[in-house]
Amino acid sequence: MKFSVKAWSNGRARAGVLLLGGCPYPIETPALLLTTRKGLPIFISPDLLPSLPSPDSHLLQFSPLHFLEDLSPKTISDIGGLHQILGLHEYVFSAIPRDSILCLPECNSTNKTGASFETPCGRRLIKPVEYMEMISSMKPNLWATLADEVPAWVSEKRNKASVDRTVTWLDDCIRLNQAGGAVFGSIVGGLSVEERLRCAKEVMKRNVSGFFCCSLFSA
Amino acid sequence: MNWPRALLTDSGGFQMVSLLHLADITEKGVTFQSPVDGKPMLLTPEESIQIQSRIGADIIMALDDVVRTTITGPRIEEAMYRTLRWIDRCIAAHKRPHEQNLFGIVQGGLDPVLRDICVKGLVDRNLPGYAIGGLAGGEDKDSFWRVVAQCTAALPEDKPRYVMGVGYPLDIVVCSALGADMYDCVYPTRTARFGTALVPEGVLKLKHRAMADDIRPIDPTCECMVCKNYTRAYIHCLVTKDAMGSQLLSYHNLYYMMKLSRDLNSSIIQGQFPEFVCKFLQKMFPKGDVPEWVCNAMEVAGIDISSCCAPFTTSQD
C-alpha cells in the first residue's frame, strides 16, 4: 500500500493519494468507502457497479462477520479469497469487524478473550485467532485490527480496559497475520482525550500502515 | 418510462382470478376493492382499454372474463360468452388501432366445445393476434396441452399465438412444438427469490446445505454474468438472506429463459427442431422417464422423441 499527502489546506485538511495492490487506479482522499453486505453494495449488482464514478467507487467496505456460518474460511480459501469469490479483482476491499447495521459491538458481552458482536447469526464472541483466520482466508487489501469498541457512556474503568484490550489484540492480530494486506491499527478510548491519545501512542509504536478510528457513538 | 423497445400490457383480467375474494364480476365489468383506500373501483372493458391506451404499449390485451380451470359448471360457459361480448366493447373503445395491437383472449375452460366457439368468435373479429387464456392455473397437464393444441390448430397461421402465464421451460418447449409463439410467466423470477436456479437438468436449489461448499458455477454451460463470476457457495450464502441473492439468481434464470427461446427459434430455422427437443428432454430426463403427457403432445405435434424415452415396459431392446 502506498499513501502520500499531496496538498494541505489551512488547519488540518489534506488531500492525498492511496494506491492499493490490485486496483490499478490511485484513489484520491478524502475518500468514501461503499458499504457492502457480503462484498456487494446492497442493491447494486456487479454489472451495475462499473457505472458508478470510477475509481472512487472502487473502495468497498465489508465485515468478515457477514460470512459467519454462511461461507466457511475453508471454502473461501478454496475459492481463492474475496476478490475471487466476487469476481471484482480491480476493487479494494477493506475489512472492518463492525458495521453500523448488521454487526454491532456488544460491549457488555465482550471479555478479555474476545470482542462480542450482534450478528445475523446471533451474538458471537470473536477472538483474535478466529478473526485472523477469516482475514487470512478472505485476503482483503486493507483490514482493521480487532477492537473493543465501547459507547461513550461507559465508566472510566471500562473505557481504560477497552484501550488495554484493543492494544493486546492489535499485537495478537499482527502476530497471527498471514494474509498480507495493509494493517490498520484500531484506536479506541471513547470520549476521553487522554485515553484516545494513550491508545494512539501505543498503536503508533507498532508497525501499521494506517489507523482505524473507532466510532465515538457505537451502540 | 424511458423504454424505447417493445411493450405489452395486460388488461387486469387475471386479477379477477388471483384476487377473486376481492372482486365482484358482472356484465358491466369487474369491481375490485381499491388497495389504497378499500373503496370499490370498477374496471370495465372500456376503462381497461383506455388505461392501456394511455400507457401506450405496442400490444394490448382485451379484458376477458377469466375463470380457474379447476372449477366446473355453468360459470365457465358464462365467462366464455361474456369474453366474446367484451371483446366487441374493447374493439369499440380502442382508439389507436394503428399504433397498438389489440389481442383477443380465448377462454372456455377445459371444454373443447366452448373453446371452439370462443376461437371462432374471436377469429371472426379479425384481430392482429390471439392469446390462449385461462390456463396455467393448476389444471392437469394432459388437459392443458390438449387445449393448447386445439387452439393452435384453429387459430390463423399468420398471426401470433400467445399462451398466457406459461411457464416452466418444459411447458414452453411443448407449446412451441404445438405452434405457440409467445409466453409470459413469473416463474423464473419468483423461483429465484426462493433460491431456485433453472438449469438444463431441471432446477438447482441453492438453499440446500450441499451448496455451501460447492465451488462450481450454477451451470457450467451457461454464459451469463452470474455463472461466469460466481460459485454456488457464494449464491448459497446470499439466498433468502440478502436481496443480492434474489437479484443474481433472477438474472441467471432470465438469461436461461432467453437462451431457451433463442434456441427454439434458431433450431426451427436450421431445421433441427426435433433434435433440439430430444437433447432438451434427454438432459431433463436422463433416465428416459419423459412424462406421458409430453409424449402424447409431441406425437400430436409430429415430433419424434422416441430416442429419449425409455420404453414403458421393461422389455428387451
Side-chain angles (χ1 to χ4, degrees):
Chain A
M1 187 195 89
K2 287 202 191 69
F3 174 66
S4 53
V5 178
K6 295 295 184 201
W8 289 260
S9 88
N10 300 344
R12 303 190 194 171
R14 71 265 195 89
V17 175
L18 193 60
L19 250 179
L20 281 144
C23 179
Y25 324 102
I27 295 179
E28 292 174 328
T29 63
L32 302 179
L33 281 69
L34 268 64
T35 309
T36 72
R37 196 174 297 179
K38 292 177 179 153
L40 285 171
I42 294 175
F43 291 107
I44 310 289
S45 56
D47 53 336
L48 211 48
L49 199 48
S51 63
L52 286 170
S54 184
D56 316 52
S57 59
H58 280 242
L59 202 48
L60 304 174
Q61 165 273 357
F62 78 101
S63 166
L65 308 188
H66 289 166
F67 294 94
L68 277 174
E69 277 176 30
D70 282 331
L71 213 50
S72 68
K74 177 176 184 314
T75 305
I76 296 174
S77 295
D78 286 345
I79 300 173
L82 201 62
H83 292 84
Q84 189 62 35
I85 289 174
L86 296 161
L88 296 173
H89 298 280
E90 294 190 347
Y91 283 73
V92 173
F93 280 99
S94 322
I96 320 284
R98 55 97 90 235
D99 63 27
S100 308
I101 311 165
L102 281 183
C103 302
L104 308 164
E106 185 36 69
C107 67
N108 294 329
S109 308
T110 294
N111 58 42
K112 63 177 186 236
T113 65
S116 179
F117 296 88
E118 289 293 349
T119 76
C121 332
R123 191 175 299 171
R124 295 285 292 261
L125 188 72
I126 308 291
K127 302 182 184 180
V129 168
E130 192 183 350
Y131 182 65
M132 290 314 296
E133 199 192 13
M134 291 189 259
I135 297 289
S136 299
S137 68
M138 293 171 193
K139 303 209 252 287
N141 303 92
L142 172 174
W143 50 276
T145 58
L146 192 63
D148 177 12
E149 264 191 87
V150 295
W153 43 259
V154 298
S155 69
E156 210 181 297
K157 182 175 166 198
R158 179 69 181 87
N159 199 28
K160 276 200 166 71
S162 84
V163 172
D164 297 332
R165 281 180 196 154
T166 300
V167 174
T168 305
W169 293 343
L170 165 63
D171 287 334
D172 291 337
C173 287
I174 292 175
R175 185 173 37 86
L176 295 162
N177 182 18
Q178 293 176 331
V183 183
F184 275 47
S186 293
I187 299 179
V188 293
L191 284 174
S192 159
V193 176
E194 284 163 48
E195 285 302 301
R196 285 275 177 180
L197 279 175
R198 181 168 79 89
C199 192
K201 285 197 176 105
E202 287 300 315
V203 172
M204 285 191 289
K205 291 181 194 162
R206 277 78 173 170
N207 184 19
V208 293
S209 303
F211 305 97
F212 178 63
C213 301
C214 295
S215 114
L216 291 169
F217 303 110
S218 54
Chain B
M1 284 189 266
N2 194 18
W3 178 254
R5 302 187 202 162
L7 196 60
L8 181 155
T9 48
D10 197 3
S11 55
F14 179 66
Q15 279 61 39
M16 276 189 245
V17 164
S18 63
L19 298 174
L20 188 57
H21 58 287
L22 297 172
D24 184 30
I25 304 158
T26 61
E27 188 61 29
K28 244 199 320 183
V30 193
T31 305
F32 288 107
Q33 240 188 354
S34 163
V36 173
D37 54 13
K39 288 207 314 244
M41 36 181 284
L42 178 66
L43 183 68
T44 59
E46 291 78 12
E47 177 79 22
S48 173
I49 296 299
Q50 271 164 35
I51 296 171
Q52 294 185 76
S53 171
R54 287 200 292 273
I55 294 172
D58 306 280
I59 297 175
I60 65 175
M61 305 306 295
L63 185 66
D64 52 342
D65 188 356
V66 194
V67 291
R68 286 206 175 283
T69 42
T70 41
I71 69 149
T72 52
R75 175 78 186 103
I76 307 179
E77 185 169 348
E78 178 195 46
M80 186 277 288
Y81 281 113
R82 182 169 292 144
T83 295
L84 286 178
R85 290 193 293 276
W86 281 2
I87 188 68
D88 288 331
R89 288 168 59 184
C90 288
I91 293 169
H94 185 34
K95 300 286 179 274
R96 303 172 61 190
H98 300 295
E99 298 154 87
Q100 296 182 290
N101 297 282
L102 172 62
F103 279 28
I105 307 180
V106 179
Q107 293 294 341
L110 302 174
D111 183 337
V113 172
L114 295 177
R115 285 277 175 181
D116 186 57
I117 297 170
C118 202
V119 168
K120 290 199 162 80
L122 291 175
V123 171
D124 274 349
R125 272 81 170 170
N126 195 25
L127 296 162
Y130 301 94
I132 302 167
L135 298 173
E139 65 282 341
D140 68 286
K141 285 291 194 252
D142 194 60
S143 311
F144 159 73
W145 80 259
R146 287 177 202 281
V147 171
V148 174
Q150 181 194 355
C151 292
T152 53
L155 287 167
E157 282 284 302
D158 60 343
K159 292 181 180 171
R161 299 92 170 264
Y162 165 23
V163 188
M164 301 185 84
V166 168
Y168 301 124
L170 181 60
D171 295 359
I172 289 178
V173 172
V174 170
C175 290
S176 299
L178 293 170
D181 308 300
M182 291 163 62
Y183 310 91
D184 80 282
C185 196
V186 299
Y187 175 66
T189 46
R190 177 179 287 164
T191 209
R193 293 197 299 274
F194 287 97
T196 299
L198 299 176
V199 293
E201 293 75 20
V203 297
L204 192 69
K205 295 203 156 98
L206 272 304
K207 271 201 292 189
H208 209 272
R209 294 243 69 194
M211 299 289 129
D213 46 24
D214 190 335
I215 62 176
R216 296 172 289 173
I218 291 172
D219 175 13
T221 69
C222 180
E223 305 263 299
C224 83
M225 179 268 292
V226 175
C227 291
K228 287 193 121 68
N229 284 296
Y230 300 103
T231 58
R232 296 174 182 192
Y234 183 64
I235 308 288
H236 167 83
C237 90
L238 292 175
V239 291
T240 73
K241 291 186 205 160
D242 291 284
M244 189 56 64
S246 299
Q247 267 182 265
L248 295 177
L249 267 185
S250 292
Y251 184 100
H252 163 80
N253 283 358
L254 287 176
Y255 191 97
Y256 178 88
M257 298 303 289
M258 300 289 96
K259 177 151 199 308
L260 176 65
S261 66
R262 191 174 318 145
D263 288 345
L264 287 166
N265 172 274
S266 58
S267 67
I268 293 171
I269 288 175
Q270 289 159 16
Q272 299 273 311
F273 182 66
E275 288 84 353
F276 172 78
V277 173
C278 284
K279 270 210 212 82
F280 177 88
L281 292 173
Q282 266 157 6
K283 284 216 201 77
M284 198 169 272
F285 305 102
K287 294 197 213 132
D289 50 338
V290 177
E292 201 174 334
W293 72 272
V294 175
C295 299
N296 294 339
M298 289 301 177
E299 197 180 324
V300 165
I303 305 287
D304 178 11
I305 57 167
S306 52
S307 67
C308 37
C309 294
F312 283 115
T313 55
T314 48
S315 56
Q316 68 301 40
D317 216 18

